[in-house]
Amino acid sequence: MNIALLEKLADGQLIKISERAWDEKWIQALNAANFVLVGGKEYEMIEGRLNLDLDVFELLLVKVGTEGGGNR
């Protein structure tokens, strides 16, 4: 399954960070993880959306330590 990682900015704008194929083990890991590292930056996962129009699962992320996201 393709997973798209989307960063939600403070103004509500969405920026695609990455899109890649994930296998079942990676998808199962979503149940245990709250944060992901991408490109050396830490993001908190805030929600997921199954986009049937694009045949992709979208993860909405906020950068840790920025306004409106993260808890550190």
Side-chain angles (χ1 to χ4, degrees):
M1 171 179 274
N2 277 350
I3 305 291
L5 304 176
L6 304 171
E7 179 182 358
K8 184 176 182 181
L9 302 179
D11 66 1
Q13 182 181 0
L14 298 178
I15 306 263
K16 186 188 284 188
I17 299 170
S18 173
E19 184 171 336
R20 57 185 84 177
W22 283 18
D23 65 20
E24 190 173 320
K25 289 181 183 183
W26 277 100
I27 293 169
Q28 288 176 357
L30 289 173
N31 291 324
N34 295 317
F35 297 87
V36 295
L37 292 173
V38 181
K41 298 176 184 170
E42 185 174 21
Y43 297 91
E44 182 176 9
M45 296 184 287
I46 58 173
E47 68 182 354
R49 175 173 70 175
L50 187 56
N51 187 329
L52 298 178
D53 292 334
L54 299 176
D55 196 29
V56 66
F57 184 79
E58 300 169 337
L59 286 177
L60 189 59
L61 312 172
V62 290
K63 196 179 296 183
V64 173
T66 59
E67 233 179 89
N71 60 2
R72 293 187 196 177

